Amino acid sequence: MDADVKQWSAFFDRCLIERLEVEKFTIYANHLIQRYPAERQDIARLLLKPRWKKGINADPKVIQYAIKLLEIGVVDVPDILRALLKTSRCSPARTDVNNLQNEDAHGVTKSYNSPELEEIIFLRLSKAFTTNRRPKSKVETWEVIDVISRWMSVVMTTSATDEMMQSMDGQSANPRPEALAIRESLGMLLVTVAENPKVIAVLNGSCPKKIRQSFARTLSLYIPFISQTHHQIGDRLDNFQRNYQVFDEGQIKTNGMHDILGGINANGFDQNWLNSLNIIDGPYVTSRAGLYIFLNAALVGQPLMDDQMVLNYLNARYRGDVPASIVDLITASFDILTNATQRNESGATRSLLRSFLINKVPKILTVLAGSLFPPLTAELCISQAMKSVDPDAFPSLSSMFDLTDSNIIPDTRQDFLFACCLHGLVAESSIEQLLGEEPMQTLPSVGRYTEKELLNRCLVEPGKLESLVGELEDTTGNSGAIANTVTQVIQQLCTGDLKDTMSLKSLCFALARKPSALDVMLLFNSAETILYPICRLLDEWRYEEDQGEYQPVYEEFGGILLLLLAFVHRYDLTPADLGVDNPDSFITRLLNRGYASYQVDALSDEQKKHLGVWIHGLFEVEEITDEVMSACPPQQFYLLVPTIFHQSIIACKAKVMEPDSLKGALDYLLETFLLPSLVTAMIWMTRFIWEAQDVQDDMNTAMQIIKMLITPRSISGEAQTMHSAIISIIAKPLERALRPMQRHKSLSSDVAALIAVLQTHATFSRTPASSLSEAESWTATHGGGLAMSLRNTFQSFVLWSSTANISMTPTPYTHRQFLLALQILGAKPVLHTLVSELKEQYQSGAAPDLALDIAISFVCAPNAGHHSQGRMTIRQALSLELEEAPNSLTQDPLRVEVLVRLSRRVDAQSGNGQLAMANSALIDQVNMDVAAVEVGNMVSNVDLVGVGVDANINDVIGGAVGNGDSIFDGLDLDDPGAMDLS
C-alpha cells in the first residue's frame, strides 16, 4: 500500500470511529486530496470496503461521506459503482449469499457490504442523474454506461444462481427480499441514467462502439428480467430502448428491427401484425401548440407542476434536445399568459400564470441548463425564445406609455429576464440587449433566497414566516424557495421535537386568507406533500393529561383545519388527494360525510352525549365553558356541527327555542375558536335550502341563520379577517342555493342583499369545471355542437402551428373545453373526433405531422379532471381502438395507419410520470432515513473488521477519547503535517 492510499485508509477509519460530522469531513478531505492525491478508484474502494461483522445494515456515515466526496469531485459515479460491485454479495466471487463473510479460493475471509448500503447509494446516485448534476463529462458518461452494464449482468446472474440453488433444495424459486430491493434500486438508477439528456446525447454520438454494444445487449436481457417484478421500470426502459434504438447490432441483423420493435406495447396489445403492415412514421415534428396544450392542461385547475413530471415530459417530447426544450418551454409559458389575458380569464388565473413564468420556469431551466454542452448556453437559448414572444401582448417598456389596450401585460419580459438572472441563467449585463432597451429595475436587494437560509431565519425569527407568506406572490424569482421553506416548516411544526401548534395555527391562517398564495404553493409542492402532515396531526390530536385551558386548543385546531378546508374547497380535493387512505380517520369522515346531519336516534351514545353537551353550552348557558370543550374533542364537534344546526332549525320551527337564544348561539360561533365550523355549517345549509324550497317556515329560519352568520352586526378584528376567508370558501355554493329563493317575495330583498355580499367572494374556487356560459357556447356550435367546437379548436391549432412565425398570437383555448367533451361525450367519441381530424390532414397533405403532434398532446395532457374515476380515459379508448383495428383494416386502412402512428408516439411521449414521482419521493425518504439513524446506538453494537487501528473500538471511544475530545480536535489545517494520520 503506497503512502497516499495508506493516509486515506487511516483517514476513513478514524472518521468512522469518531463519527465525524460531514462538514468537518469535507474540510479534511479537501486538504487531504491536495497532500495525498490517491487514485479516485482507490479512494472509493477504501471508503466502501466492508467494516462490519454483524448487526449493521448500512452505516449512514459511509453513505454521507461517499455522496460528499462525489459532490466535491474527489470521486466520480463510476468509482463508487465499481467499489460497490467488488464488495457486493452479487459479485462473481461470492459463495454463500446469506453471510456477510465468506472464504475465497485461498481460504482468506472475504467480507461483503450489506444490500441495504447498495440500495441506498443507488437511490442517492439516482437523484444526481435526475437533477442533471451528473454526469459531468463524456468520459464519466462512458464509464457509467460500462459499469452499470456490469451491474445488470451480475444481478441477473445472481438471481439465476439463487433460483437454481433453491430448486436443488426443493424450495420454490422466489427472489429474496434483499435481492428484490437491489433489483428495484438498480432499475431506478438505470432509468434515471437512461433518461438523462447528457447520457442520451453521448449514446447517440460519441460513445465508443464496444461500450454501447455491451450496454445494448445487457439492457435487452435486463428489461424482461426487471419486468417480472417491477413492470413500471421495465416499461420505461423499454420506451427508452425503442425511442433511441439502443439495440445490439447482432440482434438487429438476426431478427430485423420490426421484430425487435414488435410484441407487446405498453397497453398490453400485440403489435406484431401492425408492424407487419410496414407503417413508416413521418418526420418527428414538435408543434408550437403541443406544449401550449400541455401547460394549459397542467394549470387549468389545481396546478399539476411536479418538477420531475415536467422534466420527463420535456425529455420524452424533445428526445433529449435540451436547447429546443428550453426555447419551447419559455415560448409556451408566454403563450398561455397571452391567451389568459385575451380570453379575459380571472385575475387569479393571470397571476398564477405570471408566477409560473417568472418563478417556476427559471427553476426548471436551471435543471435543463445543466445538460447543455459548450458552446450552447442558457442565455443563448433564452435569447432565441424571446424572439418568439408576441410583441403586441408584451410590448417594450418605452412603448407602453403610448398604449391604452387593457390586454397588454406590463413588465413581464423584464421580470422574467431578471428572474433568470437571479438563477444564474443570464448575465445582468445582457438584459438590456435581450430587452432591446434599458431596463427599469435591478435585481432584488435581498438576492436569491435559499431554502436553508430561509429555514434558519424562520427558526431564529418566528415572525418571519408570515412575512414570507406575503412574498409568495411576488414576481422576483424567489417564490420557489419560499414555498419549499413554508412546506418544510409546516412539516416540522406538525411532528417531532419542533411540534408547535400555536405557531402552526398562525402560519395556516396566514395562508388560508390568501387563496392566490395557495396556487403558488402548488406550483412547487403537491397538495399531499403540504397537507398530509396536517391531516395526520388533526387525526391524532389529543388533549394533554395536564390540559389547563381548552379554548386555545379549539382555536389552534380550528385555525389549522381552516387551511385544510381552504385547499379542499378551492381545488375540490378528496382524501386520496391528501394521501389519506384510512376510511375511519377524522379527515376522511369530515370530507366524505361531515356535511351531513343525522337523526338523534342514529347517533351513538357517545355522539348523543357530545351533542347534548354542545346544545346545552350554546343555548342554555351564558358562555362556552371549559367543561363543554373538555367533554368533547374538537374532531367530534366538527363532525356534529351540521346536526347541531339541524336540531336548532327543528327547535325554532317547533317554537321550542326563542329567537334570542338562537342569536346568542350564533354569536358564539362567530368567535375565533369556533368560527371555522361555519364552513361545514354553511355547506350543510346549502343542501338544506335545496330540500326546503317549498317549506316556508324552514326557509324563514334558514334565512335568519344565514343572514346573521354572513352579515353579522358586530365582529372582532381578528375574527373579521377569518370570517372573510371563510365566506370566500362557501360563497359559490351558497349563492347557487340562494338564487331560487328569490322567487319568494317575502325573502327576495334579503336574498338579493346576501347574494351581493357573496358575489364579492365568488372567485375562490379553482377547478377545471366549465362555466355555464362556456358550456352553452361550445354545445351550441353550428354543425355538431361540442364535438364540432373541438374540431374547430384542433384545426385552429394546426393553422397556428403552421404559421407560428407569421402569427405569434396563440389560438384561444382553455383545457376546460377538452375536459367537458370527455365528460359529456365520453372518451371514445372524443378520440374519434381527433382521429377523424388527423385522417383529413393526412388526406389533404396539409400538415399531417403537426396535426399528429397536436393530437398526441391532447392524449398525453395531465389529467386535471381527477374526479373521473370509473370513466374510460382517452388512453384506454386508444387501446381499445387498436384492438379493434384489424376488423377495419380493409374498410379504412388510413384510419388504422393513423391509429398506429398515434399509439406509437403516445407510448413514446407519455413516459411514466407517476413512477418518477414515486422514485423522487423514495429518494427523499432515504435521505430522511439516513439522517435519522441514531449513530450512538449503532456504534455501541458493532464489531469492526480490518480497521487500521490496533486498539479495540470501544477502547478508542471510551478510553483514548474518553474525555470527550475528538481525535481531530486541535488540528491546524494550515499545518502541513496536520493531516498525517499515520
Side-chain angles (χ1 to χ4, degrees):
M1 183 183 295
D2 62 36
D4 293 345
V5 171
K6 184 178 179 182
Q7 289 294 325
W8 278 98
S9 180
F11 172 64
F12 289 142
D13 292 341
R14 292 295 179 86
C15 288
L16 291 169
I17 292 169
E18 181 62 24
R19 317 306 298 171
L20 193 68
E21 291 301 320
V22 175
E23 290 75 11
K24 287 187 177 181
F25 172 85
T26 306
I27 296 172
Y28 291 125
N30 277 319
H31 280 264
L32 197 64
I33 193 65
Q34 294 175 15
R35 286 186 50 78
Y36 302 101
E39 294 292 332
R40 294 196 319 264
Q41 59 267 31
D42 288 334
I43 295 174
R45 174 179 56 80
L46 292 169
L47 174 61
L48 296 172
K49 70 180 182 181
R51 288 177 168 82
W52 315 112
K53 280 185 179 178
K54 59 182 179 179
I56 291 301
N57 288 331
D59 185 345
K61 285 298 181 188
V62 171
I63 298 165
Q64 292 168 356
Y65 293 165
I67 298 305
K68 183 53 66 177
L69 290 179
L70 189 66
E71 290 176 0
I72 63 177
V74 174
V75 298
D76 286 335
V77 172
D79 305 317
I80 293 177
L81 291 176
R82 288 193 196 98
L84 282 177
L85 185 60
K86 287 181 179 179
T87 56
S88 172
R89 285 189 288 182
C90 295
S91 64
R94 70 179 193 148
T95 53
D96 183 358
V97 299
N98 295 314
N99 293 324
L100 283 173
Q101 292 181 289
N102 289 297
E103 291 185 354
D104 62 15
H106 302 288
V108 178
T109 298
K110 180 175 175 60
S111 299
Y112 299 102
N113 276 317
S114 69
E116 290 80 7
L117 179 70
E118 296 166 4
E119 178 187 1
I120 294 174
I121 289 183
F122 283 160
L123 293 173
R124 295 293 293 269
L125 293 180
S126 297
K127 194 167 187 178
F129 283 92
T130 301
T131 56
N132 286 328
R133 294 197 300 269
R134 292 286 170 170
K136 290 194 172 182
S137 67
K138 290 182 180 180
V139 173
E140 184 181 17
T141 308
W142 298 340
E143 293 181 350
V144 166
I145 295 170
D146 180 54
V147 71
I148 209 166
S149 299
R150 292 162 56 193
W151 262 107
M152 286 190 285
S153 295
V154 299
V155 167
M156 288 187 289
T157 302
T158 300
S159 176
T161 304
D162 289 347
E163 291 179 8
M164 183 180 68
M165 296 298 292
Q166 288 172 343
S167 177
M168 292 172 62
D169 292 339
Q171 304 174 19
S172 58
N174 295 319
R176 292 172 292 109
E178 59 268 29
L180 282 176
I182 289 293
R183 190 183 302 186
E184 180 182 21
S185 56
L186 177 63
M188 289 181 181
L189 175 59
L190 181 56
V191 165
T192 57
V193 169
E195 294 179 351
N196 182 282
K198 294 179 182 177
V199 175
I200 291 170
V202 169
L203 271 173
N204 291 336
S206 61
C207 187
K209 184 176 180 180
K210 184 177 179 181
I211 293 177
R212 192 183 194 279
Q213 283 292 93
S214 174
F215 178 71
R217 189 181 308 113
T218 312
L219 181 63
S220 296
L221 297 172
Y222 193 76
I223 289 173
F225 170 76
I226 190 68
S227 297
Q228 296 171 12
T229 53
H230 302 88
H231 66 89
Q232 289 183 319
I233 294 175
D235 288 346
R236 285 178 72 181
L237 292 175
D238 183 61
N239 281 336
F240 160 76
Q241 188 178 44
R242 291 168 182 268
N243 291 344
Y244 301 103
Q245 297 188 10
V246 185
F247 296 104
D248 178 18
E249 287 185 3
Q251 186 182 6
I252 296 173
K253 290 176 182 178
T254 303
N255 301 322
M257 183 59 76
H258 276 301
D259 288 342
I260 293 172
L261 293 176
I264 306 299
N265 73 350
N267 297 317
F269 177 62
D270 189 348
Q271 287 189 326
N272 283 322
W273 75 273
L274 290 176
N275 290 326
S276 69
L277 300 177
N278 291 323
I279 296 174
I280 301 173
D281 290 330
Y284 191 93
V285 175
T286 53
S287 65
R288 182 158 179 173
L291 192 52
Y292 173 76
I293 293 169
F294 176 87
L295 294 182
N296 264 297
L299 296 167
V300 67
Q302 170 195 351
L304 302 173
M305 269 296 148
D306 175 78
D307 286 3
Q308 199 57 53
M309 179 197 74
V310 176
L311 291 168
N312 284 347
Y313 177 79
L314 292 174
N315 188 37
R317 175 174 173 76
Y318 293 96
R319 294 183 168 189
D321 187 346
V322 177
S325 302
I326 292 175
V327 171
D328 284 6
L329 177 60
I330 296 171
T331 304
S333 301
F334 275 98
D335 283 342
I336 61 172
L337 183 53
T338 303
N339 173 60
T341 304
Q342 294 180 340
R343 280 181 46 82
N344 199 27
E345 295 279 2
S346 68
T349 293
R350 282 178 281 178
S351 294
L352 169 64
L353 298 182
R354 197 164 186 268
S355 184
F356 169 73
L357 171 66
I358 296 169
N359 290 310
K360 179 72 174 184
V361 171
K363 186 172 181 285
I364 298 173
L365 297 183
T366 302
V367 178
L368 291 172
S371 300
L372 292 173
F373 290 108
L376 289 175
T377 63
E379 185 172 314
L380 191 63
C381 297
I382 292 169
S383 174
Q384 182 66 28
M386 297 303 287
K387 296 175 184 176
S388 300
V389 174
D390 186 357
D392 294 329
F394 304 95
S396 63
L397 296 168
S398 56
S399 64
M400 279 172 47
F401 297 106
D402 303 324
L403 296 173
T404 58
D405 187 355
S406 61
N407 283 338
I408 64 169
I409 309 166
D411 300 337
T412 302
R413 290 192 309 140
Q414 179 177 251
D415 288 343
F416 171 71
L417 290 173
F418 272 101
C420 289
C421 179
L422 190 72
H423 285 261
L425 296 166
V426 300
E428 188 172 5
S429 57
S430 303
I431 293 179
E432 181 174 349
Q433 181 181 355
L434 292 170
L435 276 177
E437 60 185 341
E438 186 177 351
M440 294 186 176
Q441 67 184 62
T442 60
L443 286 170
S445 58
V446 295
R448 181 180 177 183
Y449 286 156
T450 65
E451 294 166 34
K452 184 176 180 180
E453 170 202 350
L454 290 179
L455 199 57
N456 290 336
R457 287 175 63 184
C458 289
L459 294 175
V460 176
E461 310 171 44
K464 180 66 179 173
L465 272 172
E466 291 193 39
S467 67
L468 282 179
V469 172
E471 294 181 51
L472 266 173
E473 298 170 77
D474 290 352
T475 50
T476 60
N478 272 325
S479 294
I482 296 173
N484 290 336
T485 300
V486 170
T487 302
Q488 289 183 55
V489 170
I490 288 174
Q491 293 170 346
Q492 291 185 6
L493 293 178
C494 285
T495 57
D497 297 334
L498 296 177
K499 183 176 179 180
D500 181 352
T501 52
M502 183 179 295
S503 298
L504 181 61
K505 182 213 77 171
S506 300
L507 175 57
C508 289
F509 181 48
L511 285 167
R513 67 189 183 196
K514 294 174 69 70
S516 52
L518 308 187
D519 298 340
V520 180
M521 289 287 291
L522 289 179
L523 284 178
F524 301 95
N525 292 282
S526 68
E528 181 178 346
T529 302
I530 299 167
L531 297 175
Y532 179 73
I534 290 177
C535 294
R536 188 171 177 180
L537 173 71
L538 295 175
D539 276 337
E540 298 174 355
W541 195 291
R542 300 289 183 273
Y543 286 142
E544 300 292 341
E545 291 183 5
D546 58 347
Q547 190 75 52
E549 295 181 272
Y550 290 87
Q551 181 173 319
V553 175
Y554 264 72
E555 190 160 345
E556 290 167 12
F557 185 94
I560 296 168
L561 178 62
L562 182 60
L563 176 63
L564 177 68
L565 294 174
F567 269 104
V568 167
H569 288 277
R570 183 166 176 81
Y571 306 109
D572 195 18
L573 303 178
T574 66
D577 296 324
L578 307 176
V580 178
D581 55 8
N582 180 2
D584 297 322
S585 72
F586 163 67
I587 297 301
T588 303
R589 293 163 64 199
L590 179 69
L591 299 187
N592 290 346
R593 304 187 296 276
Y595 306 119
S597 64
Y598 296 92
Q599 297 294 329
V600 175
D601 293 342
L603 300 177
S604 68
D605 291 341
E606 184 182 35
Q607 287 174 320
K608 289 177 183 177
K609 176 184 174 183
H610 293 151
L611 178 63
V613 166
W614 273 104
I615 293 291
H616 174 76
L618 287 169
F619 299 106
E620 299 176 12
V621 296
E622 294 184 357
E623 63 178 3
I624 304 292
T625 63
D626 274 346
E627 291 181 4
V628 173
M629 289 178 281
S630 65
C632 180
Q635 296 100 323
Q636 296 303 318
F637 165 71
Y638 278 91
L639 293 173
L640 284 172
V641 165
T643 303
I644 293 171
F645 268 71
H646 195 189
Q647 292 299 312
S648 302
I649 292 176
I650 292 173
C652 288
K653 185 178 178 180
K655 309 297 183 183
V656 174
M657 182 185 297
E658 296 296 329
D660 288 344
S661 297
L662 177 62
K663 182 181 181 303
L666 297 180
D667 285 342
Y668 288 138
L669 293 176
L670 292 171
E671 297 291 335
T672 54
F673 68 100
L674 296 181
L675 197 51
S677 67
L678 290 195
V679 176
T680 51
M682 288 294 102
I683 297 297
W684 174 82
M685 192 67 77
T686 62
R687 300 176 181 180
F688 178 79
I689 291 172
W690 283 110
E691 297 169 358
Q693 290 293 329
D694 298 323
V695 184
Q696 189 68 39
D697 288 346
D698 284 354
M699 284 196 297
N700 289 337
T701 305
M703 273 300 301
Q704 186 181 359
I705 292 173
I706 292 171
K707 187 176 179 180
M708 283 190 283
L709 292 176
I710 300 300
T711 56
R713 292 183 179 178
S714 63
I715 189 170
S716 65
E718 183 181 356
Q720 187 171 20
T721 306
M722 182 180 287
H723 182 266
S724 178
I726 291 169
I727 299 304
S728 295
I729 294 174
I730 53 91
K732 196 75 173 187
L734 186 55
E735 181 194 346
R736 284 198 297 264
L738 287 173
R739 284 198 177 279
M741 295 179 67
Q742 286 183 299
R743 68 173 182 264
H744 296 273
K745 292 183 180 180
S746 60
L747 300 174
S748 59
S749 59
D750 287 341
V751 171
L754 282 173
I755 288 176
V757 172
L758 294 173
Q759 284 181 331
T760 62
H761 299 269
T763 59
F764 178 81
S765 176
R766 181 167 184 79
T767 68
S770 302
S771 67
L772 181 60
S773 60
E774 286 176 332
E776 289 176 343
S777 170
W778 293 324
T779 54
T781 302
H782 178 71
L786 187 53
M788 181 55 69
S789 76
L790 191 59
R791 281 179 177 271
N792 293 342
T793 299
F794 189 98
Q795 293 166 5
S796 298
F797 277 140
V798 175
L799 179 61
W800 174 47
S801 296
S802 304
T803 59
N805 293 331
I806 302 172
S807 175
M808 295 183 181
T809 304
T811 296
Y813 178 67
T814 170
H815 202 63
R816 293 190 291 271
Q817 179 188 17
F818 187 73
L819 295 175
L820 184 69
L822 288 174
Q823 181 182 354
I824 294 178
L825 303 177
K828 290 193 75 171
V830 169
L831 180 65
H832 292 166
T833 300
L834 297 179
V835 172
S836 177
E837 281 299 313
L838 270 177
K839 271 184 60 181
E840 291 187 13
Q841 290 291 330
Y842 275 98
Q843 287 170 337
S844 66
D849 299 315
L850 288 173
L852 179 62
D853 182 69
I854 291 166
I856 291 162
S857 299
F858 276 119
V859 177
C860 294
N863 183 21
H866 64 291
H867 296 321
S868 57
Q869 290 90 342
R871 297 173 62 92
M872 182 185 293
T873 68
I874 196 162
R875 291 289 305 277
Q876 291 168 337
L878 178 58
S879 179
L880 288 175
E881 287 294 310
L882 276 174
E883 290 182 15
E884 298 168 3
N887 301 327
S888 59
L889 181 59
T890 55
Q891 293 88 354
D892 197 347
L894 179 57
R895 186 172 186 277
V896 174
E897 185 178 329
V898 167
L899 280 170
V900 171
R901 290 195 175 111
L902 180 61
S903 176
R904 285 174 182 170
R905 286 280 299 275
V906 165
D907 282 343
Q909 197 170 117
S910 60
N912 198 318
Q914 290 182 340
L915 178 61
M917 293 165 66
N919 291 357
S920 179
L922 181 56
I923 292 167
D924 290 340
Q925 185 61 47
V926 168
N927 293 342
M928 290 187 285
D929 291 345
V930 169
V933 171
E934 182 58 58
V935 175
N937 294 337
M938 183 187 72
V939 172
S940 63
N941 294 310
V942 299
D943 189 6
L944 288 172
V945 177
V947 175
V949 289
D950 295 328
N952 180 276
I953 182 65
N954 291 319
D955 292 338
V956 174
I957 296 176
V961 291
N963 58 0
D965 296 332
S966 166
I967 57 175
F968 294 97
D969 287 348
L971 291 184
D972 182 1
L973 294 179
D974 295 324
D975 179 3
M979 294 307 300
D980 190 347
L981 302 176
S982 57

